[in-house]
């Protein structure tokens, strides 16, 4: 099993959510994150002094899937979350040692 | 982030019962009635000669009738003064919201705590001796029924003239001043004093030790504010420059551009200078970092609350609802608030291409501060001009103080209250048009300014401004220096970086569960 972690634009989240539902992936964890890379945040001006916030806000999605679904998931993510502009984000893929459902104790693929 | 949720509530049973009840109520009230019983639905028959206090009900003597008229007259004045005072009290909430909104979230319990507690300390200090020092010798205020007991002013004789220095009656509102008019005066004047006292909490926010602030609260309410206030409103020497030296009507300040706002602004200047700038505000090369406030909506609601409360501040200063000049005062106040905000916004738009909301708010407040002295003595066009100049002045002053003088004032208190407080009394000296104020400060004739042929008034106002600055700055700078030596007025570096809420107040203003308030610090140079 693999964990697919994607940092995407918050404005693209709804589209990503619905595209993933269409391919049958209806489970994920998401959170609001801050960070910076090429972009450092919009320039603001407050009482005559310009400054940039120093960070941009993004949404991070984490989905654990079986190995056979990873490629489909990644390509759907890239299609739905991309705009072609700097700041679209990144996808990270990790190995997952095990998955356990808390309610029943099921392990591995049965817990997904 | 919105995650669309779909829920459809089904409450059919309740809505049917509700509709039936409403229809029944409509039917019952629509039923025609023959008579209204003994009630008076229009009010035309309520209040007759039978309600005039008289030995024989319904047949008052001319004496009794006269008493009733006089009593009602004073009643209107007293009720008006109290209601106006209640409005000004609400300005404390306005100041609290403006300051909290323009400062950072990690200090919010401390900022709010100062703004809350200053109200408490102010009342106590003013009750102990502040009111007595300020108004102990003011004499009889006719509008409030004569205020008997305020007849002890300590004076000094200079150049053959009597110089009123401070009052000495009414300590702890003792039984010698146990009078309804005096109590109304106390309440009204107390909330004005508290407006002054809360101004430095803005300039010194985010680094002031709460303990040191508490000592300050008592000092300003008991000594500094009452002293200058006595000189202008308590019958002291600045108000007597007219009767003593022929300078117009002496220093005239209708609702307190100098007594309240300039005193507060100058105290704020002294405090900000002694306490020093916030960490991270200025870089070693002298460049300035912006430290944005955390809640613009809060600050703007606070500004509206202040503008609303100002309708008590200015018109209330007649101390008389029977003085219908209150209509002119209130409208001039409103006009200046608008032109102040407009011109401040235009200035920012022009210079930086964006209408900064914090400057919009400061502009409105500047206009209000500036019109506070002249509001009763000028016409509407003058009010507009005074506010407009205030709007431009406040923006220029913020930049000058922030970037040239390198004095860190998180909310612009010095620019709004100090600079425009001075402009307010000078504006009175220029624009007073002679339509009001006959007999003010014991000088016959209405109050007129330089533009209407009376340069003496302008010079009186100028003297008032200079005295205000020298005395208040001297006292407050000295006080803050001594306070700093004895107990220290600034928090530690660690506390300031972490947030003052826990170290100073013991609680966090906002709970930490959302990441909204996480701050990205400006560049900090390790000293």
């Amino acid at each position: 099993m693999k964990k697919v972690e994607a940092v995407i634009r918050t404005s693209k989240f709804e589209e990503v959510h619905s595209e993933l539902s269409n391919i049958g992936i209806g489970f994920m964890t998401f959170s609001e994150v801050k960070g910076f890379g090429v972009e450092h945040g919009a320039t603001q001006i407050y009482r005559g002094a310009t400054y940039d916030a120093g960070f941009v806000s993004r949404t991070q999605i984490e989905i654990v899937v079986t190995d056979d679904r990873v490629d489909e998931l990644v390509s759907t993510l890239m299609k739905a979350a991309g705009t072609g502009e700097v700041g679209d984000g990144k996808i990270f893929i990790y190995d997952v040692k095990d998955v356990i459902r808390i309610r029943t104790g099921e392990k591995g693929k049965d817990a997904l | 982030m919105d995650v669309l949720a779909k829920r459809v509530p089904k409450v059919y049973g309740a809505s049917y019962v509700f509709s039936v009840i409403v229809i029944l109520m409509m039917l019952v009230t629509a039923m025609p009635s023959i008579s209204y019983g003994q009630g008076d639905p229009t009010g035309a028959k309520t209040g007759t000669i039978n309600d005039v206090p008289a030995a024989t009900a319904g047949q008052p003597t001319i004496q009794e009738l006269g008493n009733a008229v006089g009593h009602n007259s004073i009643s209107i004045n007293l009720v008006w003064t109290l209601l106006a005072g209640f409005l000004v009290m609400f300005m404390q909430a306005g100041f609290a919201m403006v300051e909290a909104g323009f400062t950072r979230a990690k200090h919010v319990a401390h900022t709010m705590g100062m703004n809350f507690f200053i109200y408490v300390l102010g009342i106590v200090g003013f009750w102990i001796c502040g009111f007595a020092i300020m108004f102990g010798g003011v004499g009889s205020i006719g509008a409030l029924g004569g205020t008997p007991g305020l007849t002890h002013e300590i004076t000094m004789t200079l150049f053959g003239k009597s110089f009123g220095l401070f009052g000495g009656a009414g300590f702890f509102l003792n039984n010698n001043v146990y009078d309804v008019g005096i109590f109304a005066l106390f309440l009204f004047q107390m909330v004005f004093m508290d407006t002054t006292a809360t101004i430095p909490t803005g300039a010194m926010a985010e680094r002031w030790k709460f303990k040191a602030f508490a000592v300050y609260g008592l000092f300003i309410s008991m000594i500094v504010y009452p002293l200058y206030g006595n000189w202008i409103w308590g019958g002291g020497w600045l108000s007597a420059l007219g009767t003593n030296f022929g300078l117009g009507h002496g220093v005239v300040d209708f609702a307190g551009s100098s007594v309240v706002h300039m005193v507060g602004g100058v105290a704020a200047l002294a405090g900000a200078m002694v306490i020093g700038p916030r960490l991270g505000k200025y870089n070693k090369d002298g460049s300035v970092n912006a430290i944005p406030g955390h809640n613009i909506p809060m600050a703007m609601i606070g500004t509206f609350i202040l503008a609303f409360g100002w309708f008590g501040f200015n018109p209330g200063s007649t101390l008389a609802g029977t003085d219908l000049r209150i209509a002119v005062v209130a409208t001039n106040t409103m006009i200046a608030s608008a032109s102040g905000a407009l011109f401040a916004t235009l200035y920012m738009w022009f210079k930086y291409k964006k209408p900064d909301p914090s400057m919009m708010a400061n502009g409105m407040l500047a206009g209000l501060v500036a019109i506070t002295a002249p509001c009763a003595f000028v016409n509407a066009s003058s009010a507009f001009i005074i506010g407009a100049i205030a709007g431009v002045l406040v923006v220029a002053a913020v930049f000058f103080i922030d970037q040239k003088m390198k004095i860190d004032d998180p909310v612009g208190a010095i620019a709004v209250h100090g600079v425009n407080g001075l402009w307010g009394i000078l504006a009175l000296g220029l624009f007073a048009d002679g339509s009001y104020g006959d007999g003010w400060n014991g000088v016959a004739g209405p109050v007129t300014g330089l533009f209407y042929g009376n340069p003496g008034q302008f010079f009186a106002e100028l003297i008032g401004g200079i005295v205000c600055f020298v005395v208040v700055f001297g006292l407050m700078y000295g006080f803050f220096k001594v306070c700093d030596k004895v107990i220290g007025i600034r928090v530690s570096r660690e506390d300031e970086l972490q947030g003052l809420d826990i170290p100073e107040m013991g609680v966090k203003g906002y709970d930490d569960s959302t990441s909204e308030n996480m701050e990205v610090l400006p560049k900090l140079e390790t000293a």
Side-chain angles (χ1 to χ4, degrees):
Chain A
M1 294 165 291
K2 299 277 190 286
K3 175 159 103 158
V4 176
E5 187 180 280
V7 177
I8 62 166
R9 294 182 190 282
T10 306
S11 54
K12 282 295 195 167
F13 179 75
E14 289 305 321
E15 195 178 327
V16 164
H17 185 218
S18 71
E19 289 296 322
L20 289 181
S21 299
N22 290 343
I23 62 165
I25 293 181
F27 47 90
M28 68 175 72
T29 305
F30 62 92
S31 49
E32 295 172 40
V33 295
K34 300 182 177 75
F36 50 87
V38 173
E39 284 180 304
H40 275 255
T43 308
Q44 301 179 57
I45 178 156
Y46 183 73
R47 296 168 91 72
T50 49
Y51 68 104
D52 70 66
F55 62 87
V56 288
S57 291
R58 290 287 184 267
T59 302
Q60 179 166 294
I61 300 175
E62 296 167 62
I63 311 168
V64 178
V65 286
T66 49
D67 293 2
D68 55 315
R69 301 216 64 190
V70 173
D71 290 331
E72 187 190 9
L73 175 54
V74 169
S75 62
T76 311
L77 273 171
M78 288 184 65
K79 197 169 57 95
T83 64
E85 302 289 321
V86 164
D88 272 351
K90 284 195 175 41
I91 300 172
F92 306 99
I93 303 179
Y94 305 86
D95 275 315
V96 175
K97 252 181 75 170
D98 206 351
V99 176
I100 300 132
R101 180 170 281 119
I102 291 177
R103 176 171 54 90
T104 59
E106 287 164 292
K107 288 191 179 211
K109 282 206 319 223
D110 296 327
L112 284 177
Chain B
M1 193 164 54
D2 284 315
V3 179
L4 301 167
K6 289 171 244 178
R7 277 182 293 153
V8 180
K10 295 185 185 231
V11 205
Y12 290 136
S15 63
Y16 277 147
V17 172
F18 182 68
S19 323
V20 167
I21 290 173
V22 167
I23 290 166
L24 276 175
M25 282 168 61
M26 285 165 63
L27 285 173
V28 163
T29 53
M31 276 159 49
S33 317
I34 310 292
S35 75
Y36 290 106
Q38 299 295 327
D40 176 15
T42 65
K45 290 182 292 173
T46 300
T48 65
I49 197 162
N50 294 313
D51 298 301
V52 175
T56 321
Q59 291 172 43
T61 62
I62 195 102
Q63 183 74 20
E64 285 164 339
L65 208 50
N67 280 339
V69 170
H71 185 83
N72 286 356
S73 205
I74 301 294
S75 300
I76 291 173
N77 294 344
L78 201 142
V79 170
W80 169 251
T81 301
L82 284 174
L83 278 176
F86 302 159
L87 250 66
V88 177
M89 181 273 175
F90 193 47
M91 285 169 74
Q92 293 298 305
F95 279 111
M97 295 188 87
V98 168
E99 290 182 25
F102 283 150
T103 54
R104 286 170 292 180
K106 64 183 181 181
H107 302 309
V108 75
H110 175 267
T111 307
M112 272 289 175
M114 287 199 295
N115 278 281
F116 182 86
F117 208 54
I118 193 63
Y119 178 65
V120 172
L121 293 168
I123 292 175
V124 172
F126 210 56
W127 169 70
I128 291 174
C129 66
F131 178 73
I133 289 175
M134 188 164 172
F135 286 102
V138 74
S140 166
I141 297 177
L144 294 174
T147 57
L150 298 173
T151 49
H152 191 53
E153 174 87 353
I154 282 92
T155 62
M156 184 173 75
T157 310
L158 268 178
F159 320 118
K161 306 282 184 191
S162 175
F163 275 56
L165 294 176
F166 54 88
F171 296 93
F172 300 97
L173 279 179
N174 59 65
N175 283 342
N176 288 333
V177 294
Y178 197 174
D179 170 80
V180 294
I182 292 178
F183 271 50
L185 182 71
F186 175 88
L187 186 146
F188 186 74
Q189 294 299 339
M190 182 275 147
V191 289
F192 274 57
M193 178 280 298
D194 218 56
T195 301
T196 299
T198 196
I199 291 167
T201 63
M204 298 169 71
E206 307 203 306
R207 61 245 198 253
W208 201 355
K209 268 215 272 232
F210 200 79
K211 210 166 47 187
F213 146 78
V215 178
Y216 148 84
L218 290 171
F219 184 67
I220 197 158
S221 66
M222 291 168 77
I223 312 286
V224 179
Y225 174 86
L227 191 63
Y228 181 79
N230 175 272
W231 297 346
I232 307 274
W233 287 345
W237 66 280
L238 284 174
S239 66
L241 289 180
T243 49
N244 280 346
F245 301 106
L247 277 175
H249 285 66
V251 182
V252 178
D253 185 351
F254 188 70
S257 288
S258 70
V259 179
V260 177
H261 299 283
M262 190 177 170
V263 171
V266 170
L269 174 69
M273 285 171 72
V274 175
I275 207 171
R278 290 169 289 176
L279 294 171
K281 177 69 184 174
Y282 298 108
N283 304 314
K284 281 219 173 64
D285 64 359
S287 57
V288 186
N289 295 319
I291 302 183
H294 85 281
N295 196 331
I296 297 286
M298 183 184 283
M300 301 201 90
I301 299 245
T303 305
F304 263 140
I305 289 177
L306 288 172
F308 172 64
W310 235 288
F311 287 133
F313 208 93
N314 287 358
S317 294
T318 54
L319 302 180
T322 51
D323 178 357
L324 301 185
R325 188 74 177 180
I326 51 179
V328 173
V329 173
T331 307
N332 281 344
T333 302
M334 177 188 255
I335 289 173
S337 75
S339 62
L342 176 67
F343 277 74
T345 306
L346 287 174
Y347 189 151
M348 289 304 284
W349 230 329
F350 207 67
K351 193 165 166 152
Y352 295 105
K353 312 288 181 278
K354 298 266 197 275
D356 181 339
S358 77
M359 286 301 205
M360 276 188 202
N362 277 167
M364 175 169 279
L365 295 177
L368 286 165
V369 167
I371 198 68
T372 297
C375 53
F377 305 106
V378 301
N379 61 31
S381 306
S382 300
F384 185 89
I385 294 168
I386 292 168
I389 293 175
V392 172
L393 262 179
V394 75
V395 179
V398 163
F399 293 149
F400 186 76
I401 292 165
D402 200 45
Q403 291 165 17
K404 294 281 184 298
M405 291 177 78
K406 302 259 188 285
I407 293 173
D408 184 15
D409 179 355
V411 307
I414 302 165
V416 169
H417 298 278
V419 172
N420 283 291
L422 178 62
W423 165 234
I425 50 170
L426 295 179
L428 188 158
L430 295 172
F431 290 91
D433 67 0
S435 60
Y436 181 74
D438 187 12
W440 207 269
N441 288 339
V443 177
V447 177
T448 357
L450 190 145
F451 292 161
Y452 291 81
N454 186 358
Q457 191 60 51
F458 181 76
F459 286 121
E461 304 297 334
L462 191 58
I463 291 172
I466 293 170
V467 170
C468 180
F469 182 82
V470 168
V471 173
V472 175
F473 187 83
L475 281 174
M476 292 312 297
Y477 192 82
F479 167 78
F480 283 123
K481 275 292 192 201
V482 169
C483 198
D484 199 21
K485 275 255 167 350
V486 176
I487 59 172
I489 61 175
R490 188 159 178 161
V491 297
S492 71
R493 182 190 165 88
E494 295 71 43
D495 287 351
E496 190 176 330
L497 287 174
Q498 165 203 343
L500 298 180
D501 282 8
I502 300 272
E504 288 286 310
M505 309 304 287
V507 285
K508 280 200 134 290
Y510 297 128
D511 80 71
D512 267 340
S513 56
T514 65
S515 63
E516 299 284 342
N517 297 318
M518 193 182 110
E519 179 194 24
V520 175
L521 288 169
K523 300 187 297 264
L524 270 187
E525 282 155 0
T526 40

